[in-house]
Amino acid sequence: DEGQIRSDETKSSSFENVGQITKWTKKKCLWIVDLLDLALHSKYSSIVCFVFLLALVFVGYSLLKDNFHKSLLICALLSPPGTILRWKLSTLNHKWKRFPLGTFTANISASIVSIICGALSSRLLLDPSAPASTWLVGIKTGFAGNLSTVSTFAKELVLLADNDNEFQSVMYAFLTVFLCCTSSMVAYALIMYT
């Protein structure tokens, strides 16, 4: 019986210690939770997140030796601005009912940025391990890749066609593809042959 009582007392005191540690941890960590809550739910949350992402990218960039992973970090850094710009451009879609100007502008801009990065890499004969090449891949994949939008383009084609605007749907598809290709060819030619 006496052994059982000591065992129960030991369990009881260990549970009290766990409770004290938990209370202490909660008190000490509340300021971290409050800081995170302020950072993520204030009017400065986007700035805080961008600065945090920037810090992570630069720390990771300095620690990594592999250029593939460095370009992934740059993509991570430049993806949010591309996405935010696309979102801002989407407000232009309501200017004209029969032509989604925002998506059209986003796709053409992304094509031009992407081809400029590729042309600069070719023109400068950059070694894939060069830092400039890593940044160009990051800009092309991160920024331009998130600026362009195939899914919204396809959705808008279907919506235009469903609203008895087959001609506008076909013209929108043709103009987007034609202007993306021609503007990219012009940008490439200007960089490569001048």
Side-chain angles (χ1 to χ4, degrees), residues 99-139:
F99 190 81
L101 183 63
T103 306
F104 180 74
T105 305
N107 285 333
I108 290 176
S109 302
S111 296
I112 293 171
V113 168
S114 183
I115 201 70
I116 286 173
C117 290
L120 283 174
S121 184
S122 295
R123 173 71 186 222
L124 301 174
L125 299 173
L126 292 175
D127 178 26
S129 64
S133 178
T134 304
W135 277 91
L136 287 172
V137 168
I139 293 168

Side-chain angles (χ1 to χ4, degrees), residues 30-66:
L30 271 179
W31 70 271
I32 296 172
V33 172
D34 290 340
L35 183 65
L36 283 172
D37 185 51
L38 178 68
L40 296 176
H41 297 104
S42 71
K43 64 181 178 179
Y44 303 109
S45 61
S46 58
I47 295 169
V48 170
C49 289
F50 182 74
V51 168
F52 181 70
L53 182 62
L54 188 65
L56 284 177
V57 166
F58 283 115
V59 167
Y61 193 83
S62 65
L63 294 176
L64 289 172
K65 304 288 184 222
D66 181 16

Side-chain angles (χ1 to χ4, degrees), residues 74-160:
I74 296 167
C75 288
L77 178 68
L78 297 177
S79 293
T83 303
I84 291 168
L85 181 58
R86 183 182 74 203
W87 174 64
K88 290 291 188 182
L89 286 172
S90 72
T91 59
L92 297 175
N93 286 343
H94 305 292
K95 296 282 183 191
W96 294 328
K97 210 168 191 150
R98 296 176 188 241
F99 190 81
L101 183 63
T103 306
F104 180 74
T105 305
N107 285 333
I108 290 176
S109 302
S111 296
I112 293 171
V113 168
S114 183
I115 201 70
I116 286 173
C117 290
L120 283 174
S121 184
S122 295
R123 173 71 186 222
L124 301 174
L125 299 173
L126 292 175
D127 178 26
S129 64
S133 178
T134 304
W135 277 91
L136 287 172
V137 168
I139 293 168
K140 183 168 108 174
T141 308
F143 179 77
N146 280 282
L147 178 59
S148 64
T149 170
V150 174
S151 59
T152 306
F153 172 68
K155 180 191 82 159
E156 289 164 348
L157 287 175
V158 170
L159 286 176
L160 283 171

